[in-house]
Amino acid sequence: MKQTKLILILAFLFGNMTFCKSKPDNISSSIEISAQSEEAKPEILPGADRPEVYLPKLKGKKVALAVNQTSILPSKNNMHLVDFLLEQGIEVKKVFVPEHGFRGKADAGEKVDNSIDAETGIPLVSLYGSSKKPSKEALADVDIVIFDIQDVGIRFYTFISTLHYLMEACAEQDKKLMIFDRPNPNGDYIDGPVLEKGYESFVGMHPIPIVHGLTVGELAQMINGEGWLKDEVKAPIEIIPVANWTHDDHYSLPVKPSPNLPNDIAIRLYPSLCFFEGTDVSLGRGTLFPFQVYGYPDPKFGDFTFTPVSIDGMSKYPPQQDKLCYGKDLRNEPLSHQFTLSYLLDAYRLADQGDSFFNSFFDKLAGSDRLRKSIIAGESEENIRSSWQKGLDVYKTKRKLYLIYK
């Protein structure tokens, strides 16, 4: 009897040991399968990182580039496009320079002058100073212009205004414009009011919503297709598309697109917080976390505190400089964050300043005076959103005609 019990106990233990042994094998297998799936996903390649597509088209041509610090080839250790083209024997005649300069170190709104690049000796022609459009003389000695600047998919981000003027100049001078496309880090949704006629400026040139859901290449097609250039001219464009990316794919930028957008969450919060540029509220310029906080020198604005200071290469004269600001820390917001008016409405309510809360820049950012007037009238975010829905629906239908990445 004792022997029978012992056999049963041993059988039970052996069976459980066998079962337990099989469990890690199954986990290991699923990990391997998951790893294989990750490895199988092809790398996202911006247009610049596809030289086999564009180099044959550039051989023997005189080339001008519209580029900045974002114009890199990630697969080649972030080598700059200018250096890569020179290495490949392409004749680079000049570089057209947008806001923030060729190396991306100029402050927002700071004038960018013509100069010579110290590293390559190539002439730098400013498109962010007295003239934002290349002259006939500036294009006379080139065959092809390349535009390769990382955008963040927001209407008031000025690189798309530089694109507009470059397209217009190329159309007028019959010069080919080659656009090296890059992913849009805010390209997974569309939101905000559409810019209205009469409110065009360098921070909003097109009747598109704040979050427009297009890459630079797709927007260029829309600008041509909708006749938005002067006299409805059409620029002769060719797009070198991004490989292995769709609008649903997350894309983390390998280099910050401008001095005050240092990381992914700042880029996602940018459309929501940029409205504070049209007020006296600080959005973190003058800190190491711009576009990730907001505040004002008044304790009622919140428990989080920060003091904006002058930071060379980021913000030389930030709003509320050297003043202790109270407000909100948004650095833990998820990367799924989408455009909201809640921060703006909250700050407006706390400030209790009425119309004086806004400065003259606000309507340019909003694309009309409607948003400002709705806020002053005390309308809710829901009601404000419903007021721009019709224009948004029309835009969404139009947008489909120009999509490259479904």
Side-chain angles (χ1 to χ4, degrees), residues 31-322:
I31 290 172
E32 286 172 11
I33 291 168
S34 176
Q36 287 170 2
S37 299
E38 282 295 315
E39 289 171 11
K41 190 172 182 180
E43 182 184 3
I44 294 171
L45 296 174
D49 224 344
R50 304 182 67 197
E52 72 284 356
V53 178
Y54 61 79
L55 280 180
K57 304 169 189 280
L58 301 180
K59 294 294 183 182
K61 303 292 186 182
K62 296 175 182 178
V63 178
L65 304 172
V67 292
N68 65 3
Q69 80 285 352
T70 67
S71 311
I72 57 173
L73 285 70
S75 72
K76 299 188 182 301
N77 296 318
N78 288 347
M79 187 178 193
H80 197 281
L81 178 63
V82 170
D83 299 323
F84 176 72
L85 292 180
L86 291 174
E87 187 181 83
Q88 298 299 313
I90 303 301
E91 186 178 1
V92 179
K93 298 293 291 184
K94 64 194 67 178
V95 170
F96 292 118
V97 182
E99 184 179 8
H100 304 301
F102 179 37
R103 304 292 176 185
K105 295 179 180 178
D107 202 359
E110 183 178 342
K111 184 181 177 183
V112 177
D113 293 318
N114 294 345
S115 60
I116 300 292
D117 180 47
E119 294 182 25
T120 63
I122 295 173
L124 304 180
V125 181
S126 173
L127 295 183
Y128 194 75
S130 56
S131 177
K132 293 179 172 61
K133 177 178 171 180
S135 66
K136 181 179 179 179
E137 292 71 27
L139 290 174
D141 59 347
V142 301
D143 303 311
I144 295 177
V145 180
I146 294 172
F147 183 96
D148 180 29
I149 298 175
Q150 178 66 59
D151 186 46
V152 297
I154 308 303
R155 186 182 69 219
F156 33 66
Y157 204 57
T158 63
F159 297 140
I160 58 175
S161 298
T162 296
L163 171 70
H164 176 105
Y165 283 125
L166 200 55
M167 288 178 66
E168 198 167 270
C170 286
E172 292 167 352
Q173 305 306 321
D174 196 25
K175 301 291 182 178
K176 183 175 183 179
L177 177 62
M178 192 176 283
I179 297 170
F180 290 4
D181 216 1
R182 291 181 177 269
N184 177 354
N186 283 307
D188 55 317
Y189 73 108
I190 302 155
D191 206 350
V194 173
L195 183 139
E196 296 181 13
K197 191 171 181 59
Y199 287 88
E200 297 88 352
S201 72
F202 199 64
V203 292
M205 298 190 71
H206 312 114
I208 59 177
I210 288 170
V211 187
H212 55 69
L214 296 169
T215 65
V216 166
E218 290 171 328
L219 178 59
Q221 292 189 150
M222 179 177 271
I223 291 171
N224 259 350
E226 297 300 315
W228 290 340
L229 298 176
K230 184 180 178 182
D231 299 325
E232 298 188 12
V233 293
K234 310 287 185 189
I237 62 174
E238 179 179 356
I239 299 162
I240 307 300
V242 182
N244 311 318
W245 179 82
T246 72
H247 282 278
D248 294 327
D249 294 328
H250 170 71
Y251 182 70
S252 182
L253 271 56
V255 60
K256 61 182 183 180
S258 52
N260 286 283
L261 290 179
N263 52 37
D264 290 346
I265 190 58
I267 290 167
R268 293 296 285 193
L269 285 164
Y270 176 67
S272 301
L273 295 186
C274 196
F275 279 124
F276 287 128
E277 304 275 36
T279 74
D280 285 334
V281 175
S282 169
L283 45 71
R285 288 187 186 273
T287 73
L288 296 179
F289 35 83
F291 286 98
Q292 298 156 78
V293 302
Y294 68 93
Y296 192 76
D298 187 332
K300 68 183 178 184
F301 272 73
D303 297 328
F304 177 70
T305 60
F306 61 94
T307 303
V309 296
S310 178
I311 302 177
D312 194 35
M314 286 186 70
S315 188
K316 292 180 183 177
Y317 309 105
Q320 307 301 343
Q321 182 175 339
D322 300 325

